[in-house]
């Protein structure tokens, strides 16, 4: 055995040490346990993958039977295949860099040990999710990262907006998780197992003998879970608000790990989705709608982290588009490149915020490229990568998805190209507003320390060159080859869309800064709609939140709880009290009164006996 259990156990140990003893430990010790545990997990992952190379078949370690009841048999089993290998390297590798960066970013924050304990716990659950060899153990990791996202998003719990954002993420994800749990019930009912190998083997045998509608229902319910976790329409609303957490949290949870869990789960379930063209079509549509809708919102935002948050939602939509078109390898390839450049964007934004003493509004920045040149350089690397500029990482994975979309439905390719142009525009809009022009803020900018800039440099190199890691070829034994022929004309068009987006951003925010405001005034109504995020949050509040809250207050509390339940309970109490009061008056302590009651009782008894005797 290769001791797969050590990969998640090491971060768990870091969580336990810092969670229990961290308050009394110096920061150096907290750092050693928190960062050391994640680095060791990464190194152990590399050791195992080298030992298992070329990993042509899934490798599973079975530790003990977890649940045994009738035909239900679920083991605590961990497994590795090529898909798992890619995800493990992303989670532990990028996670290690983010943990190192957080030493500098969180150095002056309260609850330092608590932050790193939560981060280690998150790593433990994410690794359980990725390593799980069955759906139920995957669900344990799935719920665990949901819990940790609540803790980390609401880390600044004294700040109402942060605690509200944590609760929002938790509640919205519970909606998706309900769909996932129903899917597991159906899988167990129809396949008799939750083990991946058993389920997929039976599915390959003529769909396990199941009706197509049953397979479609299972896939759609799994998709509901993925929509919640990976922030797709209509359950995407939690992710932009999640920026209330510390910036390293945004980079870890909302760029490199948790939000990609839904993508991973759909890719893991590819043998089921391949049996349902309907479910695949729904996946593609959800991804495309999410990509377009989030990109348009990103055009108008001024909070630097919110801009990158909506770009995360949009890029996740790209991943789902690839999955829905059958290009699972391309979708996972984009998971990897996205982890590089989006972690860099968030951490780079954190470096800007650190330099400006907490300022996040792009309108209060400007001219920073000479004041924080390292941060500017790395953010520029991330921007060209996400914009799809060749030969950088985003170009390779984005175009693989767009080519698959063209092979699936040509019109999806064209919508994707327009979205790519918008992505390039709003990312470079943020770059130009932040680093070009004149400084508009009041803080005194300063470059971040080496402990923050060093991880940024590594991520910059990965963002620039990560596209040459041939993930689609590596995953081909699992998912098959390319889904869409390489067409130079289509590639040129998608690249041109990105270049046009960058050029327009340069025109609006560098060459003629007042032009953007003029366009906003000219199209004031569409601009307001986009700036207010299509009023989706307001619609949810009006249609769902307020009716439930008001109904709970008016009907459930005042009528049902206070009126019926409390009324019934209090009424019984009042009746008992009244009866007791009457009986208490009979116990006066006067002998004459007792004698009168005896005589009266005797008369009643004699009269009753005489009456019943006369009836006979």
């Amino acid at each position: 055995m290769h001791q797969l259990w050590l990969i998640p156990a090491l971060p768990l140990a870091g969580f336990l040490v810092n969670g229990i003893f961290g308050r009394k430990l110096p920061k150096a010790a907290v750092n050693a346990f928190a960062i050391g545990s994640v680095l060791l997990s990464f190194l152990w992952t590399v050791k195992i993958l080298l030992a298992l190379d070329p990993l042509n078949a899934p490798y599973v370690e079975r530790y003990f039977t977890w649940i045994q009841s009738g035909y239900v048999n679920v083991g605590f089993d961990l497994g590795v295949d090529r898909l798992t290998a890619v995800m493990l390297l992303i989670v532990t590798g990028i996670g290690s860099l983010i943990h190192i960066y957080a030493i500098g970013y969180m150095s002056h924050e309260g609850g330092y040990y608590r932050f790193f304990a939560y981060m280690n716990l998150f790593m433990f659950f994410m690794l359980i999710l990725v390593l799980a060899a069955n759906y139920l153990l995957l669900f344990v990791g799935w719920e665990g990262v949901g819990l940790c996202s609540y803790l980390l998003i609401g880390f600044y719990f004294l700040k109402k907006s942060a605690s509200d954002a944590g609760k929002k993420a938790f509640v919205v994800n519970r909606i998706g998780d309900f769909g996932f749990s129903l899917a597991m019930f159906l899988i167990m009912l129809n396949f008799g197992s939750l083990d991946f190998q058993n389920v997929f083997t039976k599915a390959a045998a003529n769909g396990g003998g199941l009706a197509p509608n049953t397979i479609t229902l299972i896939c759609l319910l799994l998709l509901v879970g993925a929509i919640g976790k990976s922030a797709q329409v209509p359950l995407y609303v939690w992710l932009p608000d999640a920026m209330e957490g510390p910036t390293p949290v945004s980079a870890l949870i909302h760029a490199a790990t948790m939000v990609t869990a839904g993508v991973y789960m759909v890719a893991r379930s590819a043998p089921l989705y391949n049996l349902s063209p309907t479910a695949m079509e729904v996946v593609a549509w959800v991804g495309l709608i999410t990509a377009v809708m989030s990109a348009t919102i990103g055009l108008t935002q001024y909070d630097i982290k919110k801009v990158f948050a909506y770009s995360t939602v949009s890029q996740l939509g790209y991943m789902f588009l690839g999955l829905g078109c059958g290009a699972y390898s391309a979708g996972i390839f984009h998971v990897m490149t996205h982890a590089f450049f989006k972690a860099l964007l968030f951490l780079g934004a954190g470096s800007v915020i650190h330099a400006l003493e907490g300022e996040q509004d792009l309108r209060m920045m400007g001219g920073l490229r000479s004041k924080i040149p390292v941060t500017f350089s790395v953010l520029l690397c991330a921007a060209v990568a996400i914009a799809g500029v060749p030969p950088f990482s985003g170009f390779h994975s984005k175009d693989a998805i767009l080519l698959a979309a063209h092979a699936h439905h040509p019109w999806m390719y064209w919508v994707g190209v327009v979205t790519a142009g918008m992505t390039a525009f709003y990312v470079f809009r943020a770059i130009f507003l932040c680093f070009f022009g004149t400084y508009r803020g009041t803080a005194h900018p300063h470059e971040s320390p080496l402990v923050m800039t060093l991880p940024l440099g590594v991520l910059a190199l990965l963002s620039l060159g990560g596209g040459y890691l041939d993930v689609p070829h590596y995953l081909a034994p699992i998912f098959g080859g390319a889904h869409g022929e390489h067409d130079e004309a289509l590639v040129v068009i998608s690249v041109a869309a990105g270049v046009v987006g960058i050029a327009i951003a340069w025109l609006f925010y560098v060459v003629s800064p007042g032009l953007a405001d003029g366009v906003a005034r000219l199209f004031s109504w569409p601009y307001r709609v986009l700036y207010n995020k299509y009023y989706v949050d307001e619609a949810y509040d009006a249609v769902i939140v307020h009716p439930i809250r008001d109904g709970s207050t008016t009907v459930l509390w005042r009528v049902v709880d206070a009126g019926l339940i409390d009324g019934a309970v209090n009424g019984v109490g009042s009746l008992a009290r009244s009866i007791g009061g009457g009986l208490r008056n009979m116990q006066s302590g006067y002998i004459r009164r007792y004698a009168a009651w005896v005589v009266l009782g005797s008369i009643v008894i004699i009269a009753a006996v005489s009456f019943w005797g006369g009836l006979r």
Side-chain angles (χ1 to χ4, degrees), residues 14 20 141 156 159 173 242 307 330 349 354 373 403 428 442-443 448 461 489 524 527 550 574 592 607 612:
I20 297 172
Y156 301 122
K159 185 180 176 184
N173 273 276
V307 173
H354 181 270
L403 291 173
F428 272 89
T442 57
S448 298
L461 292 176
S524 59
Y527 180 85
D550 295 343
S574 298
R592 291 180 180 178
W612 288 108

Side-chain angles (χ1 to χ4, degrees), residues 113-449:
Y113 77 94
R114 178 169 56 89
F115 172 81
F116 278 106
Y118 290 165
M119 292 278 276
N120 279 174
L121 183 63
F122 173 83
M123 291 292 292
F124 163 73
F125 279 121
M126 188 66 197
L127 291 169
I128 288 291
L129 186 157
V130 171
L131 284 165
N134 58 67
Y135 279 106
L136 191 58
L137 190 57
L138 186 153
F139 191 67
V140 170
W142 187 275
E143 289 298 287
V145 295
L147 167 65
C148 293
S149 70
Y150 165 75
L151 296 172
L152 286 166
I153 294 167
F155 178 77
Y156 301 122
F157 56 85
L158 296 177
K159 185 180 176 184
K160 187 177 185 302
S161 59
S163 60
D164 287 347
K167 288 183 287 186
K168 186 176 184 179
F170 192 81
V171 171
V172 172
N173 273 276
R174 296 293 71 73
I175 298 170
D177 296 350
F178 181 66
F180 192 172
S181 60
L182 291 179
M184 286 194 295
F185 282 120
L186 281 177
I187 291 171
M188 175 59 76
L189 181 65
N190 290 281
F191 291 98
S193 175
L194 291 173
D195 184 84
F196 293 145
Q197 291 185 8
N198 292 340
V199 172
F200 299 156
T201 300
K202 292 180 180 179
N206 194 28
L210 301 183
N213 289 342
T214 302
I215 294 288
T216 297
L217 181 59
I218 290 172
C219 291
L220 291 178
L221 288 171
L222 288 173
L223 177 61
V224 171
I227 285 172
K229 196 66 70 185
S230 292
Q232 298 295 285
V233 169
L235 301 180
Y236 71 94
V237 292
W238 67 270
L239 193 147
D241 287 2
M243 297 303 107
E244 291 288 345
T247 298
V249 173
S250 304
L252 180 66
I253 296 182
H254 308 122
T257 51
M258 173 182 159
V259 293
T260 62
V263 181
Y264 166 76
M265 187 265 285
V266 172
R268 172 61 66 201
S269 305
L272 298 179
Y273 280 91
N274 288 336
L275 298 173
S276 176
T278 301
M280 294 279 284
E281 195 70 19
V282 173
V283 172
W285 272 87
V286 167
L288 191 63
I289 292 171
T290 303
V292 175
M293 186 173 179
S294 300
T296 55
I297 295 174
L299 297 173
T300 61
Q301 302 305 303
Y302 282 101
D303 184 316
I304 188 170
K305 288 177 66 176
K306 285 286 181 72
V307 173
F308 297 153
Y310 279 106
S311 78
T312 295
V313 180
S314 184
Q315 296 302 306
L316 289 167
Y318 264 109
M319 297 172 203
F320 275 86
L321 174 61
L323 298 178
C325 295
Y328 300 104
S329 296
I332 297 301
F333 190 20
H334 203 55
V335 168
M336 185 193 72
T337 60
H338 177 264
F340 299 155
F341 58 67
K342 188 51 61 65
L344 181 54
L345 282 172
F346 276 124
L347 296 184
S351 184
V352 172
I353 295 167
H354 181 270
L356 299 181
E357 301 171 3
E359 182 60 67
Q360 295 183 201
D361 193 330
L362 288 165
R363 290 167 293 192
M364 300 299 293
M365 300 180 188
L368 295 179
R369 70 183 185 276
S370 60
K371 296 178 172 58
I372 46 174
V374 175
T375 300
F376 167 66
S377 300
V378 296
L379 272 175
L380 189 60
C381 293
V384 295
I386 191 175
V389 176
F392 308 123
S393 61
F395 160 74
H396 297 273
S397 56
K398 179 204 69 176
D399 273 58
I401 290 173
L402 289 177
L403 291 173
H406 188 272
H408 187 67
H409 289 308
W411 66 268
M412 285 187 168
Y413 163 84
W414 291 106
V415 176
V417 165
V418 173
T419 305
M422 289 190 288
T423 300
F425 172 82
Y426 65 69
V427 170
F428 272 89
R429 168 181 176 268
I431 296 294
F432 296 146
L433 282 172
C434 181
F435 294 103
F436 287 75
T438 57
Y439 181 54
R440 300 177 292 275
T442 57
H444 300 286
H446 56 279
E447 189 60 88
S448 298

Side-chain angles (χ1 to χ4, degrees), residues 541-542 544-558:
D541 286 342
I544 299 175
V545 177
H546 291 318
I548 291 177
R549 186 184 62 193
D550 295 343
S552 299
T553 302
T554 304
V555 179
L556 296 180
W557 173 34
R558 293 177 180 169

